[in-house]
Amino acid sequence: MANPATALSMIPMTRTFPSLLAALGAFLPAALFAAAPTYTTGDLFMGFRATEQPGDTSVLLVNIGSAAAFRDATSPITLTAIGDIGEDLKALYGANWRSRTDLQWGVAGTPSNNADVNGDTVPTLYASRQQTAPGVPGTGWQVSGSSTRLTVATTMTNLQDGFKTYSATTANSTKAIIQGTTDGASWRQFMAPDGSGTYTTGGKDFGAFANIEGSSAVVGSEGLANVTLSLFRVTGSAAGSFEGTFSIDAAGTVTFTPPAAAGTTYATWAATNAGGQAHNLDFDNDGVDNGIEFFMGQNGSTFTANPPMIGGSVTWPRASDRTVSSFGVEVSTDLVSWGPATPANVVITPTSVTYTPPTGQARHFLRLRVTP
Ligand SMILES: [Ca+2]
Ligand SMILES: [Ca+2]
């Protein structure tokens, strides 16, 4: 027979615990479960917004940490400290967030508008710009005149101050908050067009940049999958310096890749490997132009094969340290007239370029074009 004392002591436990927890939950403010966001002078922001439903009234604003860490990076940084923003993006913009063509992302911030911070003098500005191809920097932002730069720095400080007023970070990140697009100093207010007239000028984000955000508008219809951002640092009247590339994968993991320490130019490569010939010639007569061999990381005068079709796709290897002004996959039906491949059929990574023809596509020809 069971010990009555034991049986009696167990019954109240099972009944009391859930009700006690429920009572505690009723009295604890939500802020105890999600702490207020923190901002340290010198931090930069990454903002996400959509222009269509769902999520078009919300901004995900993430404190991605010290600008100096990106400025001084010598190897890729995986932004693990920002938590699982992929889950936040999913919750706000849907499971298909990365393929949405209306989703935009950008990075901006100023170390300080009134004191030098971590070697960045007043007024140093950081702002992103969409890349036309991953890893290709593009043209640095230019903000002429120190008074204009100071105005932008003050505007960016308003974004920082606005961030500090929120009371809770998101469910999946201690660095991110969700803002309403109409909140007074939300990320959206700094983005033109239709941002706040106090913070934008004409069509310019933060009053100075033609468009710091990336979306499918430049690279095609595949959503954020291939949308990478250059980070530029503006310290004077000259064009800003390229600090590196932001990319985001399907899980929402953000990576920052600094420029290769010593990117090899075509001229340097050709002097050693192709007798100094132009990029559109074929020094070793193997059917692959010098410029393509340079891009693929081939050296010397050994035979180079054009990549074959494997599993319905063609993949060109891409060397990691090549300085090029542009590259892309082109298609033709007659080998005479060539045009860019549909972006949705091309996947570009730091180490490869892959083309997958659409199903049902008529016979066509394919080439990689590289402009050193
Ligand atoms: Ca060749
Ligand atoms: Ca070769």
Side-chain angles (χ1 to χ4, degrees):
M1 192 171 179
N3 185 336
T6 305
L8 280 172
S9 72
M10 286 181 71
I11 291 165
M13 287 294 280
T14 54
R15 284 180 182 165
T16 309
F17 250 81
S19 57
L20 183 63
L21 283 176
L24 276 173
F27 286 106
L28 290 173
L32 281 184
F33 294 101
T38 56
Y39 180 83
T40 302
T41 301
D43 289 349
L44 298 183
F45 287 105
M46 177 174 285
F48 295 84
R49 68 186 178 98
T51 57
E52 293 164 23
Q53 294 179 346
D56 61 339
T57 57
S58 298
V59 165
L60 182 69
L61 188 64
V62 188
N63 179 344
I64 58 170
S66 170
F70 300 111
R71 180 196 64 194
D72 300 339
T74 54
S75 57
I77 300 172
T78 303
L79 277 64
T80 51
I82 64 174
D84 195 352
I85 64 164
E87 285 300 315
D88 288 334
L89 290 165
K90 226 187 271 181
L92 277 177
Y93 306 116
N96 65 333
W97 63 270
R98 199 161 173 263
S99 62
R100 283 181 64 164
T101 57
D102 65 314
L103 190 61
Q104 316 199 24
W105 70 321
V107 173
T110 185
S112 170
N113 67 344
N114 58 28
D116 298 353
V117 176
N118 300 328
D120 279 335
T121 55
V122 176
T124 297
L125 311 174
Y126 287 84
S128 58
R129 183 172 204 159
Q130 182 167 351
Q131 299 180 337
T132 53
V136 176
T139 307
W141 292 120
Q142 196 157 8
V143 184
S144 297
S146 60
S147 65
T148 306
R149 289 195 301 282
L150 191 58
T151 301
V152 176
T154 304
T155 300
M156 287 178 165
T157 303
N158 289 335
L159 171 72
Q160 293 158 194
D161 289 343
F163 179 83
K164 296 173 196 168
T165 65
Y166 286 78
S167 58
T169 50
T170 68
N172 304 290
S173 168
T174 59
K175 303 291 184 185
I177 61 169
I178 296 167
Q179 300 179 315
T181 47
T182 57
D183 295 1
S186 79
W187 173 263
R188 176 67 188 95
Q189 301 300 322
F190 298 85
M191 299 296 129
D194 305 325
S196 164
T198 310
Y199 305 135
T200 64
T201 302
K204 297 197 170 176
D205 303 340
F206 290 98
F209 309 104
N211 184 9
I212 70 166
E213 293 174 291
S215 73
S216 288
V218 171
V219 295
S221 59
E222 67 272 38
L224 288 193
N226 275 346
V227 178
T228 49
L229 303 173
S230 285
L231 180 67
F232 288 109
R233 174 173 174 261
V234 181
T235 58
S237 290
S241 56
F242 173 62
E243 302 298 330
T245 301
F246 286 104
S247 59
I248 186 164
D249 71 11
T253 303
V254 177
T255 301
F256 178 79
T257 307
T264 304
T265 63
Y266 177 75
T268 300
W269 179 90
T272 306
N273 297 290
Q277 275 188 350
H279 71 277
N280 58 347
L281 301 179
D282 182 5
F283 178 71
D284 57 5
N285 292 311
D286 59 6
V288 178
D289 285 353
N290 299 333
I292 305 299
E293 296 209 21
F294 160 73
F295 182 87
M296 290 168 61
Q298 294 284 300
N299 288 316
S301 297
T302 54
F303 174 78
T304 304
N306 266 306
M309 176 86 80
I310 297 174
S313 297
V314 175
T315 296
W316 289 268
R318 178 186 181 189
S320 62
D321 63 342
R322 300 301 196 240
T323 300
V324 299
S325 57
S326 71
F327 65 90
V329 176
E330 294 184 338
V331 293
S332 172
T333 53
D334 58 7
L335 287 172
V336 176
S337 155
W338 293 87
T342 304
N345 300 329
V346 181
V347 174
I348 299 170
T349 78
T351 57
S352 66
V353 178
T354 299
Y355 173 81
T356 307
T359 49
Q361 171 83 8
R363 171 188 161 89
H364 61 296
F365 302 95
L366 185 64
R367 73 181 183 188
L368 182 68
R369 180 194 46 73
V370 172
T371 306

